[in-house]
Amino acid sequence: QVQVVESGGGLVQPGGSLRLSCAVSGVIFRLYTMAWYRQAPGKQRELVADITTGGTTTYTDSVKGRFTISRDNAKNTVALQMNSLKPEDTAVYYCNAKWDPVGSGTRYNYWGQGTQVTVST
């Protein structure tokens, strides 16, 4: 059974920092591209950052220079370090694990339940 469990959300003041963690079990973690998405009230879910099996990272423009995604294949975890937080970063943050085996036509795609991040005074 695959489990994707986020932790680390909470309330923080503008300019503050939070570190989100995501633990994955039931899969061969090193095969998966890992990503963080977020969804603010009334908005669509958007990709925040992802990290490939080889460690290549991408970020949405609004978080570049402030957020850092990292993974630990030995511990089956992925983290999102969020610095200089802004009120517009307020959202539910979701961890995603995705694997598209070459030539299989099959996608393995798993989501966590989400963790709330609120940036406010």
Side-chain angles (χ1 to χ4, degrees):
Q1 181 180 359
V2 179
Q3 288 191 314
V4 180
V5 181
E6 304 99 336
S7 61
L11 173 64
V12 64
Q13 292 188 343
S17 297
L18 279 177
R19 184 176 178 85
L20 304 183
S21 293
C22 173
V24 184
S25 59
V27 301
I28 304 175
F29 182 80
R30 59 180 172 81
L31 297 178
Y32 283 72
T33 291
M34 298 301 302
W36 288 95
Y37 286 74
R38 67 185 178 187
Q39 188 166 18
K43 296 188 176 181
Q44 289 189 330
R45 189 173 296 189
E46 66 168 346
L47 176 65
V48 176
D50 64 16
I51 183 166
T52 68
T53 57
T56 300
T57 58
T58 58
Y59 299 90
T60 192
D61 285 346
S62 63
V63 308
K64 285 180 181 176
R66 300 188 298 122
F67 291 11
T68 302
I69 189 171
S70 60
R71 65 188 296 159
D72 185 335
N73 288 344
K75 296 181 179 180
N76 287 14
T77 59
V78 61
L80 185 69
Q81 178 66 42
M82 306 185 293
N83 299 327
S84 302
L85 283 160
K86 304 175 181 181
E88 50 264 43
D89 295 317
T90 296
V92 178
Y93 284 69
Y94 297 90
C95 181
N96 173 259
K98 183 179 66 179
W99 178 36
D100 297 306
V102 176
S104 74
T106 300
R107 166 166 286 184
Y108 298 89
N109 196 31
Y110 303 105
W111 293 91
Q113 292 286 83
T115 185
Q116 176 70 45
V117 171
T118 302
V119 185
S120 176
T121 55

